Amino acid sequence: MRGRLLPSLNALRTFEAVARHNSFTRAAEELNVTQSAASRLVRSLEDYLQVPLFTRQSRRIELTDEGRFYNALVRDSLDLIEAGTVELISSKDGKGTLSIGMLPTFGTRWLLPRLASFQEAHPEISLNIISSDGELDFTKERIDVAIRFGHGNWQDAIVDPLMAEEILVVCSPVLMDGPHPITSYESLRHHRLIRHSTRPNGWEHWFRSVGANRDHLRWGPSLEHFFMIIQAAIAGLGVALLPSFLVEDEIRNGTLVTPFPVRIAGPGGYYLVTSAAKSELPRVKLFRRWILDQIARS
């Protein structure tokens, strides 16, 4: 059986440090070796690969095209090895830190109020909560699990549906007491509609679902997170379209009202997305079991 075609790990570490610092001197200081030793290791790597990784001019060095290509591979590979090493050390005896990538408003309104029960049941597990709603990359974000809105099509992951989304229109009671109370779909044209910047088609989906006319709409601010939209609606900046479970308290205490009884299904749902590579870690299995039990209870 053929062995792996791999250069010296020490040479790879040195090359990555030199490329990161763009300096043999600073790389040597980081690695606690002499500058000449760092230079020899990079030279040995270039000899092994039979391609130049740096151009050397006087006291300046610069990655070649081959060097930039190889540096990206080496850097990502060392990051992965480092993360796995930390993972094993921190996971000893089932302990460690559980890193959760969390949608900001979902986390604040639904998850955080419930997490005390998980922490009480598993005091040996530390929690690291990261605001995360962009493209999902477990390695880059260094997270174990994530809560995402979508359609369940994440690659290299175990995906558990948490809940569907029910959408309703809300506004400040001040708007209802003003010169143009919202008593029909057509009366929305007198008010600004607050938009969610990451769901630009939300209002179009609502108008289409209820069969209302979309002519002569007035657009209000476009905001990135639901908690911003909630506050904007309370402040009377316009009419908002929000998942019902996120505004239960505001509707109950009267800071927001619902002009229409209709509630429509949202264009996606909330999912627990677990890194396939980490799915068997004890802390991950415990959290997954816990959150699915919370969903079943609610």
Side-chain angles (χ1 to χ4, degrees):
M1 182 181 294
R2 183 181 68 82
R4 290 185 180 275
L5 184 65
L6 293 173
S8 158
L9 178 59
N10 204 19
L12 292 174
R13 289 180 64 234
T14 305
F15 164 66
E16 188 274 337
V18 173
R20 178 161 32 88
H21 291 293
N22 200 34
S23 166
F24 280 98
T25 301
R26 282 183 287 173
E29 291 172 353
E30 176 186 309
L31 299 171
N32 198 27
V33 298
T34 64
Q35 181 180 345
S36 60
S39 181
R40 283 197 304 272
L41 282 165
V42 172
R43 287 283 189 190
S44 71
L45 181 59
E46 291 176 316
D47 291 341
Y48 182 86
L49 298 170
Q50 297 183 352
V51 295
L53 299 173
F54 293 98
T55 58
R56 298 163 174 84
Q57 296 179 352
S58 183
R59 296 187 177 183
R60 292 179 61 244
I61 62 170
E62 187 175 333
L63 284 166
T64 62
D65 290 342
E66 295 88 349
R68 280 189 286 273
F69 164 77
Y70 201 52
N71 179 51
L73 291 176
V74 172
R75 182 189 61 235
D76 290 349
S77 298
L78 291 177
D79 285 347
L80 194 58
I81 293 171
E82 180 184 30
T85 301
V86 172
E87 189 73 65
L88 287 178
I89 293 173
S90 66
S91 297
K92 185 178 179 182
D93 300 326
K95 300 177 182 178
T97 299
L98 177 73
S99 292
I100 306 168
M102 186 173 67
L103 293 171
T105 312
F106 181 95
T108 303
R109 294 292 177 118
W110 191 91
L111 183 63
L112 286 179
R114 292 169 168 81
L115 269 181
S117 69
F118 178 81
Q119 195 72 91
E120 184 178 350
H122 306 289
E124 74 283 2
I125 298 175
S126 299
L127 295 175
N128 180 33
I129 311 297
I130 300 167
S131 178
S132 173
D133 61 359
E135 183 177 351
L136 183 56
D137 187 327
F138 290 106
T139 302
K140 184 177 180 180
E141 296 185 75
R142 297 193 176 188
I143 55 177
D144 304 314
V145 299
I147 294 173
R148 283 289 193 274
F149 181 85
H151 301 282
N153 52 346
W154 288 274
Q155 301 297 317
D156 302 319
I158 296 172
V159 180
D160 295 295
L162 296 180
M163 65 176 73
E165 192 173 68
E166 186 182 64
I167 302 295
L168 74 164
V169 172
V170 298
C171 68
S172 166
V174 173
L175 298 187
M176 298 297 288
D177 295 334
H180 300 289
I182 304 171
T183 56
S184 66
Y185 299 151
E186 287 71 23
S187 59
L188 286 172
R189 63 188 177 88
H190 297 292
H191 301 276
R192 298 189 183 277
L193 306 183
I194 302 170
R195 292 174 291 181
H196 194 310
S197 60
T198 62
R199 299 195 197 177
N201 299 320
W203 275 108
E204 181 180 352
H205 173 76
W206 184 85
F207 277 103
R208 187 170 57 248
S209 297
V210 300
N213 192 317
R214 286 171 282 178
D215 296 336
H216 310 298
L217 299 179
R218 300 173 63 202
W219 296 111
S222 180
L223 302 171
E224 185 177 4
H225 298 297
F226 277 131
F227 66 83
M228 296 178 178
I229 296 174
I230 293 169
Q231 292 307 311
I234 291 173
L237 291 178
V239 182
L241 193 62
L242 288 162
S244 58
F245 77 95
L246 293 181
V247 287
E248 290 173 347
D249 290 343
E250 287 76 11
I251 293 172
R252 190 179 300 115
N253 63 33
T255 54
L256 287 176
V257 295
T258 56
F260 312 120
V262 63
R263 301 185 179 203
I264 68 165
Y270 293 89
Y271 293 84
L272 175 68
V273 189
T274 304
S275 166
K278 297 184 178 182
S279 61
E280 292 304 312
L281 289 174
R283 67 175 183 270
V284 174
K285 292 171 73 174
L286 288 170
F287 180 77
R288 185 178 174 219
R289 188 180 308 139
W290 171 82
I291 196 170
L292 292 178
D293 180 62
Q294 292 293 312
I295 289 295
R297 292 183 182 186
S298 63

